[in-house]
Amino acid sequence: QNYPNPFNPSTAVTFSLPQASRVELAIYNLLGQRVATPVDGTMLEAGSYTVRFDARGLATGVYLYRLSAGSFTETRKMVLVK
């Protein structure tokens, strides 16, 4: 999960990779439109990572982020409060 949540204006998504994988982290609004891609298919080595996401240009509301690494995909909710 991202921290802090709710957030204003930035949050951090932390994840660990047991092996090298191609990683994508995408942010979507509730209409399903991609609003940001902090990590776009980058090959990362095994280890722990923290990705900071700055939402200054986005409106207050609920967003979803999808983290994909290899065959693993997870979607979580985050709340932007201004």
Side-chain angles (χ1 to χ4, degrees):
Q1 184 67 47
N2 63 305
Y3 181 82
N5 192 18
F7 67 98
N8 177 23
S10 66
T11 188
V13 177
T14 303
F15 59 94
S16 296
L17 299 174
Q19 61 190 23
S21 299
R22 190 163 302 282
V23 176
E24 180 179 85
L25 177 62
I27 314 295
Y28 297 88
N29 63 20
L30 290 182
L31 298 175
Q33 300 165 323
R34 185 183 295 208
V35 296
T37 309
V39 182
D40 188 17
T42 304
M43 188 67 160
L44 297 177
E45 296 297 320
S48 295
Y49 295 89
T50 299
V51 176
R52 299 233 24 109
F53 172 62
D54 188 339
R56 288 176 208 255
L58 298 177
T60 296
V62 177
Y63 293 87
L64 302 174
Y65 69 87
R66 184 177 69 200
L67 176 66
S68 300
S71 62
F72 173 82
T73 301
E74 181 175 63
T75 302
R76 295 269 178 108
K77 179 174 71 169
M78 60 185 181
V79 180
L80 171 60
V81 178
K82 290 190 177 183

